[in-house]
């Protein structure tokens, strides 16, 4: 029996050895003709050279095949149809459940570093940011939307607060690069991340996995799939994850940056008839951990001495060697999410109908230190609190009519979001801030000039001072779309599609007076005694906002009548519309070589800056041109994909810490730019010999501002946006099968991210090179390893893993309090993680 016959036999008689990731299936004993292989390789090289010229560097991709006789036929739903990945004219990277397990990944942030072009910053998982091809939304407020659409089983995750969830029972992740406005809709201007979970099946399945690691890591996951009769199946998954803090407070000895969360999902699938099925799913995610720590990088003199303002980057300390002081009150980051969805599929003969309904509700809080000290006169914390409830409904029809494969659909999205941007400090810090910006030190002046000399038993220091911005948004979005693939011939296809979207948004700001009840009581008492009068002041002189001073905006009109006024709600109502087309031509020059070219558009709906009353911005639009080749060489067991792109992103909004007109205190303000970029993506998967798989993926991008002028009139047009030119990931997986049928597997994966590119603003900010104590924006490397043994029947698996095995750690600077308190601080990326896991399947 040849190896091909063996595989065919295994396909007809499935065993536990099936369903392995990225295995080249067709291994024949017969020697293939060298002429055939050489011709196909030459064809690819000629086409690649004519398509684009790039430096091909190593990179990584993780993909999955359902079983070993599929010959790389990886099924994806990137075009809302089930298709072979190599037949889809879109640059897509697919991550399998096996790759997720090999990386010991807890969420998508853990794997994004191995997907060049995708960056997920989730140091604060309730306030993450997604970036694809250099495009992201920097504002996490509920008044704006992300530029990268995140979908779980086809359901849109509107808010960043619920866009990073714990991995549990994942089938695969599809990362679509470039605008996906036609098929995925609004807010997928940079691309889309589609997470597909495993569905109930008609056989009994069970799994239990326990993972232990350093920092007292404990992760337990369980799965049970139970058929109920002939037509029902229930699938339940749950996980618990806990870890000690990565840092320790130098004053209290308390751990910082601890993790503690659990999640669960239950799905019930009912095959109502041979033509109809329905799946009801419930998801819960509970996050309860420490907020990210602030690591101070300036020397703090003994009280009452103050650090210099503005800070001097040349004097920054090495954050890897300094003691850490975080005195934030009630440090925590929490999320409580529940979601229920119902998916119904029905076949009307040659036409397939699908309905997706979803209701989601979550609450988050994130109270974190913003000064990196334990001094009351430098204390400042923020607490972002959100409540969100949304409803999503999509209906679509799909079918084939002659040479046309078509899909039409409509969707409706309704969301109510509430956000409180809470800040807390003490009058000591208010006094410090006012002195640093040249407005005097009123509290210590009164203390030292009147209260102490007169022996008055009262103090104006040590009183809590709270300011908050309250937001409420009500958003509705309606969309209708159509997409048609026309098979012009056996090899030539033309795809034409478009989506029309209408957004309606109502947004409200409410900024009340600052809250300092004990201070106000003291001031009233001092005024009644005539003591304040001796200084020529009244309690009213202390009724001012330090953080949310909206006085420069006074007089701006609101849609609910009146103007911007403290203590009064301001409402804006806006409607936005967009048509996002796509046109794709693809041609198979050979059975396994596909050439394609596309024109696509996408958009992000206009919105509002949550902390800048009456602010608004228009739609963001992106136009993208893409061309590429997808090829596989079955005799060489090789896949090579290449794409080149160029886009222009108009009216891109970013939030920036700056000085509003008429104010001395920095605030977050909205700025607008037009960005442009060109680049290329390259992907390789190769089995040079049967036990060995090599994988690589690279992105090269040149991203610049087409037009951007900052509020301080600094013109950055034509300069780099900061995005590194090169990011790559690559690795290998080797599997040895013992005589008894058990197997030993070893995987090594490495990621590389190039240096952040500088522009005049980053140089002026000293963000990249102004300090010798540490480096920011430098080249980043990470290496992950895994060794595992699996029994013959695949019931047992024992694994050892190491993440970031060379302990490469990187620093990012936060300047929130740099110019007011002289307390810039940093965050440090995660250290080396190691551990082991045991998996039992039954």
């Amino acid at each position: 029996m040849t190896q091909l016959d063996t595989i065919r036999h295994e396909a007809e008689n499935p065993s536990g050895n099936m369903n392995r990731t990225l295995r080249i299936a067709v291994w024949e004993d017969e020697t293939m003709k060298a002429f055939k292989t050489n011709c196909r390789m030459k064809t690819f090289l000629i086409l690649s050279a004519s398509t684009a010229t790039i430096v091909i560097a190593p990179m990584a991709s993780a993909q999955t095949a359902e079983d070993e006789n599929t010959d790389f036929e990886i099924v994806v739903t990137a075009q809302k149809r089930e298709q072979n990945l190599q037949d889809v004219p879109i640059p897509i990277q697919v991550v399998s459940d096996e790759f997720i397990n090999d990386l010991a990944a807890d969420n998508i942030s853990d794997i994004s570093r191995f997907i060049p072009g995708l960056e997920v910053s989730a140091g604060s998982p309730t306030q993450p940011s997604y970036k694809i091809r250099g495009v992201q939304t920097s504002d996490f407020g509920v008044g704006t939307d992300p530029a990268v659409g995140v979908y779980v089983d086809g359901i849109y995750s509107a808010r960043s607060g619920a866009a990073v969830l714990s991995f549990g029972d994942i089938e695969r992740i599809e990362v679509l690069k470039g605008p996906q406005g036609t098929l995925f809709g609004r807010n997928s201007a940079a691309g889309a991340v589609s997470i597909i979970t495993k569905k109930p099946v008609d056989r009994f399945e069970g799994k239990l996995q326990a993972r232990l690691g350093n920092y007292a890591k404990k992760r337990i996951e369980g799965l049970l799939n139970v058929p109920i009769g002939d037509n029902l199946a229930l699938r339940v998954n749950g996980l618990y994850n806990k870890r000690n803090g990565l840092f320790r407070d130098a004053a209290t000895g308390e751990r910082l940056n601890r993790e503690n969360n659990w999640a669960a999902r239950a799905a019930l699938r009912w095959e109502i008839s041979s033509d109809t099925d329905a799946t009801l799913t419930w998801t819960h995610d509970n996050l309860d951990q420490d907020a990210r720590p602030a690591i101070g990088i300036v020397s703090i003199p003994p009280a009452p001495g103050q650090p210099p303002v503005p800070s001097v980057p040349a004097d920054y300390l090495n954050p890897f060697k300094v003691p850490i002081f975080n005195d934030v009150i009630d440090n925590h980051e929490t999320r409580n999410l529940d979601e229920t969805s119902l998916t119904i599929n029905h076949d009307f003969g040659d036409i397939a109908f699908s309905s997706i309904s979803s209701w989601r509700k979550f609450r988050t809080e994130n109270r974190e230190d913003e000064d990196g000290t334990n001094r009351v006169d430098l204390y400042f914390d923020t607490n972002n609190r959100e409540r969100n409830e949304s409803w999503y409904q999509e209906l679509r029809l799909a079918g084939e009519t002659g040479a046309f494969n078509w899909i039409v659909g409509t969707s409706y999205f309704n969301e109510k979001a509430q956000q409180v941007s809470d800040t807390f400090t003490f009058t000591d810090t208010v006094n410090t801030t006012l002195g640093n910006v040249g407005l005097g030190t009123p509290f210590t002046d009164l203390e030292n000039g009147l209260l102490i000399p007169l022996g008055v038993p009262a103090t104006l220091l040590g009183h809590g001072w709270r300011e908050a911005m309250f937001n409420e948004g009500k958003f509705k979005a309606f969309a209708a779309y159509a997409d048609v693939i026309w098979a012009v011939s056996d090899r030539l296809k033309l795809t034409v599609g478009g989506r029309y979207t209408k957004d309606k948004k109502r947004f409200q700001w409410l900024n009340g007076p600052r809250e300092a009840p004990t201070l106000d009581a003291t001031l009233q008492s001092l005024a009644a005694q005539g003591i304040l009068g001796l200084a020529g002041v009244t309690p009213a002189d202390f009724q001012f906002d330090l953080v949310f001073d909206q006085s420069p905006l006074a007089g701006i009109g609101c849609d609910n009548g009146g103007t911007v006024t403290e203590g009064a709600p301001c409402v804006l109502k806006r409607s936005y519309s967009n048509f996002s087309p796509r046109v794709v031509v693809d041609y198979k020059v050979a059975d396994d070589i596909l050439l394609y070219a596309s024109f696509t558009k996408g958009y992000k709906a206009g919105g509002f800056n949550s902390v800048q009353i009456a602010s608004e911005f228009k739609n963001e639009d992106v136009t993208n041109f893409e061309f590429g080749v997808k090829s596989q060489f079955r005799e060489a067991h090789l896949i090579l994909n290449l794409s080149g792109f160029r886009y222009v992103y108009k009216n891109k909004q970013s939030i920036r810490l700056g000085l509003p007109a008429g104010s001395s205190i920095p605030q977050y303000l909205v700025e607008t730019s037009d960005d442009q970029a060109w680049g290329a993506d390259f992907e390789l998967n190769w089995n040079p010999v049967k036990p060995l798989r090599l994988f690589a993926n690279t992105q090269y991008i040149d991203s610049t501002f087409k037009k951007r002028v900052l509020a301080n009139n600094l013109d950055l047009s034509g300069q780099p946006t900061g995005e590194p030119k090169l990011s790559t990931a690559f690795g290998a997986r080797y599997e040895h099968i013992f005589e008894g049928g058990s197997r030993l597997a070893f995987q090594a994966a490495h990621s590389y991210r190039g240096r952040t590119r500088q522009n005049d603003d980053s140089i002026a900010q000293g963000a990249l090179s102004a300090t010798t104590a540490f480096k920011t924006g430098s080249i980043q490397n990470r290496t992950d390893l895994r060794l595992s043994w699996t029994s013959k029947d695949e019931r047992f698996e024992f694994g050892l893993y190491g993440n970031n095995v060379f302990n490469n750690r990187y620093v990012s600077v936060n300047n929130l309090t740099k110019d007011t308190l002289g307390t810039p601080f940093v965050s440090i990326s995660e250290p080396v993680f190691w551990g082991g896991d045991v998996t039992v399947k039954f």
Side-chain angles (χ1 to χ4, degrees):
M1 179 183 292
T2 68
Q3 288 177 309
L4 178 60
D5 292 331
T6 300
I7 290 171
R8 287 170 177 162
H9 174 75
E10 289 181 353
E12 296 170 357
N13 302 276
S15 70
N17 290 333
M18 305 296 282
N19 193 28
R20 297 180 193 161
T21 303
L22 275 177
R23 297 291 307 274
I24 298 291
V26 180
W27 290 80
E28 300 188 54
D29 286 339
E30 302 171 359
T31 303
M32 303 304 297
K33 292 182 179 180
F35 170 77
K36 187 174 181 181
T37 300
N38 290 339
C39 284
R40 290 196 174 183
M41 291 296 289
K42 289 179 180 179
T43 302
F44 170 78
L45 293 174
I46 293 171
L47 291 172
S48 298
S50 65
T51 304
T53 302
I54 65 169
V55 177
I56 298 181
M59 56 203 141
S61 174
Q63 301 177 355
T64 183
E66 283 300 316
D67 51 48
E68 295 188 18
N69 69 333
T70 54
D71 211 2
F72 275 129
E73 291 187 359
I74 302 161
V75 176
V76 296
T77 53
Q79 296 190 118
K80 297 203 173 184
R81 311 158 169 92
E82 290 192 350
Q83 296 174 287
N84 178 9
L85 173 65
Q86 290 300 103
D87 293 334
V88 180
I90 298 174
I92 308 170
Q93 187 165 345
V94 181
V95 181
S96 70
D97 60 338
E98 183 182 66
F99 194 71
I100 292 171
N101 186 63
D102 282 350
L103 295 179
D106 291 328
N107 58 54
I108 194 168
S109 176
D110 296 331
I111 65 170
S112 65
R113 55 183 60 90
F114 295 99
I115 307 175
L118 172 68
E119 185 177 352
V120 182
S121 302
S124 296
T126 64
Q127 296 173 249
S129 64
Y130 280 74
K131 180 193 294 186
I132 291 182
R133 287 181 173 174
V135 177
Q136 69 176 349
T137 297
S138 58
D139 183 3
F140 57 82
V142 298
T144 188
D145 296 299
V148 176
V150 180
Y151 301 82
V152 180
D153 293 330
I155 299 166
Y156 177 52
S157 298
R159 291 290 145 218
S160 63
V164 172
L165 301 177
S166 300
F167 279 155
D169 206 24
I170 302 297
E171 180 176 317
R172 69 181 184 277
I173 300 172
E174 300 175 10
V175 179
L176 289 68
K177 300 176 182 179
Q180 305 298 323
T182 298
L183 291 173
F184 284 88
R186 56 198 283 273
N187 309 329
S188 298
V193 177
S194 180
I195 301 172
I196 294 94
T197 64
K198 294 183 179 180
K199 306 301 185 292
V201 293
D202 59 358
R203 63 182 181 274
F204 180 84
E205 286 184 13
K207 184 183 83 168
L208 182 64
Q209 183 183 70
R211 178 178 297 154
L212 303 177
N214 57 338
Y215 297 98
K217 168 82 170 184
K218 301 178 186 68
R219 186 182 189 274
I220 311 295
E221 180 178 4
L223 162 70
L224 194 63
N225 187 101
V226 182
I228 306 173
D230 295 332
N231 301 320
L232 281 175
L234 175 67
R235 192 177 187 92
V236 179
N237 172 262
L239 66 87
Y240 169 77
N241 183 44
K242 187 175 183 178
R243 190 203 68 201
N244 279 350
L246 307 180
F247 308 93
R248 193 181 293 274
D249 190 279
T252 66
E254 185 178 3
R255 289 278 189 177
L256 303 174
N257 206 217
R258 293 164 293 194
E259 289 185 351
N260 185 17
N261 54 70
W262 66 276
R265 180 188 302 115
L268 180 67
R269 183 174 183 178
W270 179 22
E271 293 188 6
I272 302 171
S273 69
S274 60
D275 296 324
T276 309
D277 67 79
T279 303
L280 179 67
T281 305
W282 167 79
T283 302
H284 178 82
D285 185 273
N286 185 283
L287 181 78
D288 185 4
Q289 65 181 47
D290 293 343
R292 63 102 182 99
I295 303 173
I297 52 173
V298 295
S299 180
I300 306 296
Q306 299 288 336
V309 174
S311 301
V312 181
D315 295 334
Y316 286 172
L317 304 175
N318 185 342
F320 295 98
K321 297 182 179 181
V322 300
I324 301 174
F325 300 101
N326 275 201
D327 57 354
V328 59
I329 300 169
D330 190 23
N331 171 23
H332 67 277
E333 183 169 12
T334 62
R335 174 180 57 219
N336 197 300
L337 175 144
D338 285 285
E339 180 175 18
T340 302
S341 65
L342 176 64
T343 300
I344 300 173
N345 299 301
H346 179 74
D347 289 336
F348 295 97
D350 294 333
I351 298 177
F353 166 79
S354 296
S355 169
I356 301 176
S357 309
S358 170
W359 171 84
R360 167 180 283 201
K361 183 176 183 179
F362 69 87
R363 298 178 64 175
T364 71
E365 283 198 21
N366 182 19
R367 188 169 187 176
E368 55 192 18
D369 192 282
E370 303 288 5
D371 60 88
T373 75
N374 62 348
R375 286 264 298 266
V376 67
D377 56 340
L378 298 172
Y379 182 98
F380 186 66
D381 78 51
T382 61
N383 186 11
N384 181 71
R385 295 185 285 151
E386 291 185 40
R387 298 182 65 178
N388 184 283
E389 186 172 352
S390 63
W391 171 265
Y392 178 78
Q393 176 65 57
E394 181 174 358
L395 303 172
R396 63 174 178 255
L397 296 170
E400 288 195 43
T401 305
F404 299 94
N405 183 310
W406 53 269
I407 183 170
V408 296
T410 183
S411 66
Y412 170 74
F413 180 74
N414 188 310
E415 177 187 18
K416 181 177 181 180
Q418 296 175 315
Q419 181 178 28
V420 181
S421 299
D422 226 331
T423 66
F424 184 82
T425 187
F426 292 96
T427 49
D428 312 61
T429 304
V430 175
N431 197 74
T432 301
T433 302
L434 294 176
N436 287 338
V437 299
L439 298 178
T441 53
F443 296 119
T444 52
D445 289 347
L446 286 172
E447 192 98 354
N448 297 326
L450 279 178
L451 302 186
I452 295 176
L454 294 176
V456 178
T459 180
L460 297 178
L461 300 175
H463 299 284
W465 179 292
R466 176 179 181 254
E467 295 181 34
M469 179 72 75
F470 296 85
N471 300 118
E472 181 175 300
K474 295 181 179 180
F475 313 124
K476 295 180 181 180
F478 309 85
Y481 63 92
D483 192 74
V484 180
I485 302 174
W486 175 26
V488 181
S489 68
D490 291 341
R491 296 190 177 274
L492 178 64
K493 291 181 180 179
L494 173 66
T495 302
V496 179
R499 176 187 292 254
Y500 174 80
T501 307
K502 181 76 171 182
D503 277 277
K504 293 183 178 181
K505 295 190 174 186
R506 179 189 186 277
F507 198 72
Q508 175 181 291
W509 296 263
L510 175 59
N511 174 225
R514 60 101 178 109
E515 299 176 19
T518 60
L519 171 65
D520 291 337
T522 301
L523 290 170
Q524 291 294 340
S525 175
L526 294 175
Q529 298 174 53
I531 296 175
L532 287 186
L534 297 175
V537 296
T538 68
D541 293 320
F542 298 88
Q543 292 289 338
F544 58 85
D545 286 335
L546 180 72
V547 179
F548 295 122
D549 178 17
Q550 303 297 324
S551 57
L553 303 175
I556 296 178
C558 304
D559 291 347
N560 57 325
T563 60
V564 175
T565 306
E566 185 175 74
C570 177
V571 174
L572 290 185
K573 298 178 182 179
R574 296 293 182 266
S575 293
Y576 310 93
S577 60
N578 173 268
F579 179 72
S580 295
R582 78 167 184 149
V583 179
V584 186
V585 177
D586 65 84
Y587 181 75
K588 281 199 170 184
V589 297
D591 289 345
D592 294 325
I593 299 178
L594 177 75
L595 285 179
Y596 66 90
S598 66
F599 163 79
T600 56
K601 296 195 71 173
Y603 95 110
K604 192 182 92 169
F608 317 92
N609 178 0
S610 297
V611 295
Q612 185 181 356
I613 297 181
S615 66
E616 59 178 301
F617 51 86
K618 299 178 181 179
N619 285 352
E620 301 178 22
D621 300 297
V622 59
T623 301
N624 184 76
F625 294 90
E626 193 108 22
F627 57 94
V629 56
K630 290 191 171 186
S631 59
Q632 58 180 329
F633 306 96
R634 296 175 188 265
E635 298 83 5
H637 314 293
L638 173 68
I639 281 183
L640 287 174
N641 295 331
L642 171 69
S643 66
F645 62 88
R646 187 183 189 281
Y647 70 73
V648 176
Y649 201 118
K650 292 186 177 180
N651 198 38
K652 178 187 172 187
Q653 307 298 320
S654 61
I655 187 168
R656 174 185 169 88
L657 195 64
L659 288 174
S663 175
S664 302
I665 308 298
Q667 296 184 24
Y668 284 110
L669 306 174
V670 169
E671 292 184 335
T672 304
S673 68
D674 291 346
D675 295 0
Q676 59 185 1
W678 65 273
D681 289 285
F682 174 78
E683 179 183 16
L684 172 147
N685 278 288
W686 183 26
N687 280 73
V689 293
K690 188 173 183 180
L692 177 65
R693 175 171 62 88
L694 304 177
F695 49 89
N697 199 313
T698 286
Q699 177 182 272
Y700 176 88
I701 186 171
D702 184 2
S703 177
T704 59
F705 294 114
K706 186 175 183 180
K707 179 181 179 182
R708 187 177 189 186
V709 180
L710 302 182
N712 60 6
N713 294 321
L714 180 62
D715 191 347
L716 301 179
S717 302
Q719 298 189 33
T721 63
E723 187 69 12
K725 282 192 172 182
L726 184 68
S727 58
T728 182
F730 55 91
R733 192 174 198 274
Y734 181 84
E735 187 174 280
H736 175 76
I737 301 179
F738 296 99
E739 286 188 10
S742 64
R743 65 181 189 271
L744 188 70
F746 175 75
Q747 175 171 291
H750 182 82
S751 70
Y752 167 94
R753 181 174 172 81
R755 192 183 310 277
T756 300
R757 301 175 66 193
Q758 297 194 47
N759 54 48
D760 288 346
D761 181 50
S762 61
I763 294 173
Q765 295 281 337
L768 299 180
S769 59
T771 178
T772 58
F774 57 89
K775 295 181 179 180
T776 59
S778 59
I779 292 172
Q780 297 187 13
N781 288 282
R782 176 180 170 124
T783 303
D784 285 14
L785 304 176
R786 180 175 175 84
L787 178 68
S788 63
W789 176 87
T790 306
S791 64
K792 177 182 179 180
D793 57 7
E794 298 196 350
R795 289 186 59 193
F796 301 98
E797 180 180 313
F798 301 91
L800 298 174
Y801 68 88
N803 296 336
N804 189 24
V805 294
F806 297 110
N807 202 31
N808 294 316
R809 307 188 70 184
Y810 304 100
V811 176
S812 57
V813 180
N814 190 312
N815 289 320
L816 179 64
T817 54
K818 172 178 177 285
D819 296 325
T820 52
L821 297 175
T823 54
F825 59 91
V826 304
S827 296
I828 301 176
S829 62
E830 294 178 339
V832 56
F833 288 139
W834 54 264
D837 51 52
V838 178
T839 304
V840 179
K841 297 180 180 178
F842 49 89

